[in-house]
Amino acid sequence: MASATNRGMLSAEERRRQRELEEARKAGLAPAELDEEGKEINPHIPAFMADAPWYLNAGAPSLKHQRNWKDQVTDEMRWYDRGAKVFQANKFRKGACENCGSMSHKTKDCMERPRGKGAKWTNKNIAADEKLEDDFELRTFDAKRDRWNGYNGDEWVKQAERFEKVEAMRAEIRRKELLEKKLAGEVEEEELEGQLAGEEAKIDETEEAGFAKVEKRVRTAGGGSTGSVRNLRIREDTAKYLLNLDTNSAYYDPKSRSMREDPNPGKDPSQKTFYGDNFVRQSGEVGGFKDLNVFAITTHERGQDVHMQAMPSQAELAFQQFKQRKTALEGHSKTDIRAKYGDAAAPISDDIKALQASSQRLRLLLARLTPTLPPCPTSTLQASEAYVEYDAAGRVLRGQEVKAKSRYEEDVMVNNHTAVWGSWWNDGAWGYACCHSTIKQSYCVGAGGKGAAADAAQQLAVNMEAKAAEDEERRKESKLVGHKPAADVWGEAGEDLQLDPAKVAEALARQQQHEKEGREAEERDDRKRKYNSLAGQDVEVTPEEMEAHRLRKQRADDPLSFIDREKEKLKGGDGYDYV
């Protein structure tokens, strides 16, 4: 990555090449640029972050100016030499391990296989001394438990190469065995070809596992993969999130690239190519597995010792036996039904066909000879073979029309009535039109009933008028006529009301005595008051008593009432002269 200073000194062609190289690095088609320490520089880093300041004089591309140069080495960054050897002895030394002969550990800490005779006595196969780092101490929690500290990834590459060689040798030995059997005549040509094809399929299975990969990238710090990019779908197919652009349709997870629900549930199945990822979960052996789980749970609830997780083999065997018994019972039931009622799909003999034809002709002959019967009023369904012709307007030209009746009784006259119940209505009541009776199931008296009903209605009106006149006369004779309530008692008379001062003083005294007794009763206990203790009290209120009540009434919303009462008390009064 060219710095800002060098970029300004380049020609137009060099700048174009530099720009193309940067685009190729961002696309993963070219290897990433390396800094002075050999580390890859992410090509997606912006120029204002990747370019070093001019005063650093950075001649090579680097991100050193972006790193914290004050960082110290932590325990996670310290690695020890795992398995490093420092010295190989030729004879046993005093103080070494008696089993392997190494000076790195004691006999009780030796990790080698216990020998029949240790190196102390045989003085052979002396193990090398391992590198011990005395000052290497890990202090943090994660560093102490890092199981991969000191591991070298190249060791796994060696193991993988060895495994591939073993597999190749095993496949070659298998091919030779098959060819020897062919030469010996134990295996035929077609069978040998099938076995060889199967072996080749097994060998190429790992290679064919990457059939959906497109080799296009290299390992880069800018997002390149391990040398390939997996193509998860054919590019000609429509993406899942484009099947239905409605915002309320099935949810698409961009991270897992999955759409579990059907994006077009109302679309014709023959025109859909995608039914949702959950459709795959309901196909194949999923249904059988669900049936097995349901069987295990149901059987366990019924008291049998069947458990899907604890004993899966037993549950599978019990389920297979259950399906066999169920199939046998269903087949037995079908056999019994066919034996009892016959099988319409079975071939019919000529005799049975002739018998059916003769019975059909007999039914047609009886239908022609049987006269048309009147329809039954209570029948649910009716059919008639009577011939009837109609004109264009729907009028009957020939024959007698048969009207279909409902399943309810119609035109049934009871109790001498010539009309049905509900054929007459008057003043909110249903009745019979023949006699104007409003009582159901009553006996019909004909036209006399109509006159009686009219007379009854007229008499009812006369009685109601007489009752109303009687009530009006009684109201006029009442003592309450002309009575007016004493409005002045409640303070509505105004200033024209004339009150007797002596009676007002007596009413004030009684009001004060009454309030005092009420306070004393509250101080005692109102629950001890007898049931009829308030009976016989005079409930009539005179204007003087109402005036005494107004004078004694407390006015909490009057800001001057409290001050005036306090002044009156200081003067020796009762505090009510200014109210």
Side-chain angles (χ1 to χ4, degrees), residues 488-490 497-511 540-552:
D488 51 358
V489 175
W490 308 108
L497 181 63
Q498 299 295 331
L499 298 176
D500 189 357
K503 293 183 179 180
V504 172
E506 294 177 0
L508 281 172
R510 289 196 302 270
Q511 180 73 11
E540 185 179 356
V541 181
T542 62
E544 288 77 7
E545 292 178 348
M546 193 64 194
E547 182 68 17
H549 170 70
R550 282 196 295 267
L551 294 176
R552 298 284 299 179

Side-chain angles (χ1 to χ4, degrees), residues 157-219:
V157 177
K158 297 178 182 179
Q159 294 292 336
E161 293 176 354
R162 178 177 177 275
F163 178 78
E164 291 176 357
K165 291 180 181 179
V166 172
E167 288 295 325
M169 293 176 61
R170 192 173 296 168
E172 187 65 24
I173 294 172
R174 179 61 178 167
R175 289 195 188 93
K176 290 181 180 180
E177 291 178 355
L178 292 176
L179 291 174
E180 290 176 359
K181 289 183 180 180
K182 176 186 176 183
L183 295 176
E186 298 179 1
V187 182
E188 297 181 358
E189 184 69 22
E190 296 178 358
E191 185 178 356
L192 177 63
E193 292 179 357
Q195 293 182 2
L196 288 175
E199 294 293 333
E200 292 177 357
K202 292 179 181 178
I203 294 171
D204 299 338
E205 188 176 15
T206 56
E207 299 177 0
E208 293 180 358
F211 69 96
K213 293 184 178 181
V214 179
E215 301 291 338
K216 61 168 62 174
R217 287 193 176 188
V218 297
R219 178 187 293 274

